[in-house]
Amino acid sequence: MHLQKVKTKPQKKSARAGEEGGLEVVGKPVQRVDGWEKIRGAAKYTDDLEFGPGLLYAALVESPYAHARIKSIDTSAAEKLDGVVKVVTGRNFIHKFGLYMNDRYIFASDVVRFVGEQVAAVVATDPKVALRAAALVKVSYQELPAVMDPVKALEKDSPLVHPDLKDYRHVPWFFPKPGTNIAHWRKIRKGDLEKGFKEADLVLEDTYTVPRYAHCAIEPHSAVGLYDASGRLTMWTSSQSPFTQRHVFAETLKAFGIGHKDVRVISTYIGGGFGGKAGVTMEIIAAALAIAVPGRPVKLLWSRAQEFYNTYQRLGVTAKIKMGATKAGRITALDFKLHWDAGAYVEYGANVVNAAGLSASGPYRVDNLSVDSMCTYTNLPPCGAYRGFGYSEFLFGLESHITRMAEKLGVDPVEFRKNNAIREGDTLPYGAHMNPTGIREAIEKVEKEINWGKKEKSRDPKKAVGKSLVCFWKSPAMPPNASSSAFLKFNEDGSINILVSGMEIGQGLLTVMAQIAGEVLSVPVSKIRVETPDTDRNPYEWQTVGSHVTWGCGNAVKRAALEARERIFDLVQRVHCLDKSTLYLEDEKVKCRTKPGFALPFRDFVINGIQAEDFTFKGGPIMGSGVFMPEFASAISDPETGQGGHPNVHYTTGAAGIILEVDRETGKMRIKKVALAVDCGKAINPDLVRGQVVGGLLQGFATVLYEDMRYDAKGRLLNPNFSDYKIPTAMDMPDEVVPIIIEVAQPDGPFGARGVGEHTMIPCAPLIANAVADALGVRVRSMPVTKEKVALAAGAGKK
């Protein structure tokens, strides 16, 4: 066994990094505020919550067909079983739901569209009774033709998954094509494509495929619902999106007299999310069952198999790329067609397709660009958010293609990327301009770290060593009005409680929020508690997705802290007659530049106020609130060209490099070294950023080297378990990981920060594919890049 080594690179202090000098808390690797709570087992997850002997349990009746008409449902045998409280079907809940498109029922009513879709549910006093009763529900089906491939789904004679697509409500930036299986078609047209290809000295076309993937969070989905006699629906969920869930619950269930004020969502700690717990999936079932059985809490807990086939999966894609470039290595044209397999329902997955289409140029200047990103219905399980949100998928083909273009032109692949790397102010695919970026610095630091240009040999003659370097970028995929808010209040001892609704999903959000507030208010992080969301108590947050909460929620917390600071200064000025422009905070005290001896501890006044000369008290509890919305953003553009508007708020960019050893005969691969440089604007907590680099790389390499989702011809998932769906362990870590932090400040970020959580897994697939090609001279165009594929390709090459 070898121990994985993490090598920390010194942090460059960019002239543009940060907003203020002399930072005391921001930029420091402080201890996580939730660390001891989790280590000691005090952290509560949804399934840990106690509800007493009145708790009821639910089990589902699921479709065995990928596409079928429901002829009849007989629940009589199940209802007679002792311990059964209620059997619920689609007849009880007839309204569709969806985050971006309303295309899905809580329970299939007339038609099932994937294997595992819920048709009915049993609520019972015991979980085993619920399962037995579910098996007694008899459903009669008429099987219908199904479509499993996103390209075939576009053929004229393909079965329509949603014949009523024209009637579905959706957001204004979606462009469905009724009468087809296209749920959304994002087009980008920039420049003159024909002219660009004419200018090229080389034009290369090829197709790359990426299959579906599972999130594989340690904690399965769980939800508990209680509909009480007052008409209040309370939901306890393992969720990245408590307020979004509240909204969807209220909108979907309004026929029962429920409004937003009547819905309360309490979100506990999450045992892994990766996008799979964003939006609404099984939680709406628990909400419906709570209404069906008022007065008693109902728990719905997914099995590991259900985690695979009845929550969001990562979208599969078939990517067709045509690229032109000059002999000097300048990209002249790119025609990119992305056929996305979004599954049976696209209420979240279509936004992945939209985000990818807006950014499919990658982090490069491409003057002549055509992108067709098509969200296609199939009869496979629904897809949705997954760490990377479509970027990992399209960058596999794009970065593989760029390396091949460079090699055919005789241009060094790293120089090719430097020549075309996007710069601040460059025009983006949709017409807006690029934010400040340190991508060039990232390329150069990774290039140096892997000793690019120097060919390495293995000590074992049966093995070859390959290198590769790729670039990546990603923007938060969010509506233009996605907002964040925060409440902050002092306690008697000068400590602080912060209320936000950004979710702690392991990335360290609570710690970062404490650091931002601590920096503004001169309070140590150890004296700040950040609370997990309760929609009755905590202020609004859109969702914890898109790597945007450090930026959005961080701005809200900073504004709340600044408001509290202003109230402190106003109070001290009023009572002590000190010009507030001379006041500052230090060591949990108010101090004055013109009165060196003045030091007023927070604990003396932040609750009880300050006693004036006439013995009256002034002030009262010090609180602050902050709201942030990107008011410059707009999602409305020309549907035929994508031009106009400002759909993406900014991009985080970076580069990664790898040294890979490959066995020529078996195809087995060993990652000897990987370096990843990411421009996070400002690392609020450098250790947390490094942790995201290490974790993101391992998750990314898992999708390339190990994970392989398999379906049979009837749309049934063959490997919904960890015995047959392989994920890596600590034994599979690279020999050496080098995280490199670049800091080119985001002008509107808190202390210059922008998000980094998803970006670190995005480059993994092309890293491996390009390094295999460098080592063995064989090109793998489909993921996963397993040792079997590599061995077969290498063997075929010998013939």
Side-chain angles (χ1 to χ4, degrees), residues 16 190 358-359 361-366 391 420-440 472-476 632 645-646 648-654 679 744-748 754 759:
R16 290 189 286 174
K190 177 188 173 189
L358 290 168
S359 303
S361 65
Y364 302 105
R365 298 187 304 279
V366 182
Y391 286 72
N420 293 282
I422 199 160
R423 297 170 298 196
E424 180 180 355
D426 282 346
T427 302
L428 294 164
Y430 41 82
H433 298 286
M434 181 62 185
N435 55 275
T437 173
I439 189 169
R440 177 84 183 209
F472 60 88
W473 75 344
K474 186 183 179 299
S475 173
F632 59 87
H646 199 305
N648 289 339
V649 292
H650 60 249
Y651 287 88
T652 296
T653 61
D679 176 16
V744 176
Q746 179 62 31
D748 59 358
R754 64 175 79 86
H759 307 75

Side-chain angles (χ1 to χ4, degrees), residues 512-575:
V512 167
M513 296 303 104
Q515 286 184 260
I516 290 171
E519 185 67 54
V520 173
L521 294 169
S522 182
V523 175
V525 168
S526 60
K527 293 189 70 173
I528 301 175
R529 179 179 286 274
V530 189
E531 306 291 347
T532 54
D534 174 340
T535 58
D536 267 14
R537 180 192 66 193
N538 293 42
Y540 181 84
E541 176 69 48
W542 169 62
Q543 295 189 83
T544 302
V545 296
S547 304
H548 89 284
V549 285
T550 293
W551 176 70
C553 196
N555 269 320
V557 167
K558 186 178 181 185
R559 290 179 179 184
L562 288 169
E563 182 177 279
R565 188 177 72 179
E566 282 303 298
R567 289 182 174 178
I568 289 171
F569 288 163
D570 286 342
L571 176 61
V572 172
Q573 176 177 261
R574 182 157 60 97
V575 178

Side-chain angles (χ1 to χ4, degrees), residues 3-9 449 657 671-676 690-698 701 732-740:
L3 294 176
Q4 175 261 341
K5 176 183 176 184
V6 177
K7 180 180 176 184
T8 299
K9 299 300 292 181
E449 192 61 44
I671 301 171
K672 296 173 68 66
K673 185 176 186 178
V674 59
L676 186 144
R690 295 181 190 110
Q692 288 300 304
V693 171
V694 175
L697 285 170
L698 182 58
F701 288 137
D732 301 301
M733 281 295 294
D735 291 358
E736 184 178 0
V737 178
V738 183
I740 303 170

Side-chain angles (χ1 to χ4, degrees), residues 424-550:
E424 180 180 355
D426 282 346
T427 302
L428 294 164
Y430 41 82
H433 298 286
M434 181 62 185
N435 55 275
T437 173
I439 189 169
R440 177 84 183 209
E441 181 182 345
I443 295 171
E444 292 171 350
K445 288 197 170 184
V446 170
E447 177 184 25
K448 181 179 179 181
E449 192 61 44
I450 65 171
N451 205 1
W452 179 261
K454 181 180 179 182
K455 187 67 178 176
E456 296 189 22
K457 289 186 176 181
S458 174
R459 295 178 182 177
D460 186 340
K462 295 181 180 180
K463 297 178 180 178
V465 176
K467 294 181 181 181
S468 73
L469 185 150
V470 304
C471 297
F472 60 88
W473 75 344
K474 186 183 179 299
S475 173
M478 50 193 278
N481 60 343
S483 57
S484 302
S485 52
F487 295 154
L488 179 150
K489 61 188 182 74
F490 274 92
N491 302 307
E492 289 86 345
D493 62 351
S495 63
I496 293 173
N497 287 83
I498 298 174
L499 302 181
V500 294
S501 290
M503 286 301 300
E504 175 57 66
I505 53 176
Q507 81 282 45
L509 174 73
L510 303 186
T511 304
V512 167
M513 296 303 104
Q515 286 184 260
I516 290 171
E519 185 67 54
V520 173
L521 294 169
S522 182
V523 175
V525 168
S526 60
K527 293 189 70 173
I528 301 175
R529 179 179 286 274
V530 189
E531 306 291 347
T532 54
D534 174 340
T535 58
D536 267 14
R537 180 192 66 193
N538 293 42
Y540 181 84
E541 176 69 48
W542 169 62
Q543 295 189 83
T544 302
V545 296
S547 304
H548 89 284
V549 285
T550 293

Side-chain angles (χ1 to χ4, degrees), residues 267-291:
S267 290
T268 58
Y269 279 118
I270 299 178
F274 313 118
K277 289 172 182 165
V280 177
T281 54
M282 56 83 79
E283 301 85 5
I284 191 73
I285 304 172
L289 296 178
I291 288 175

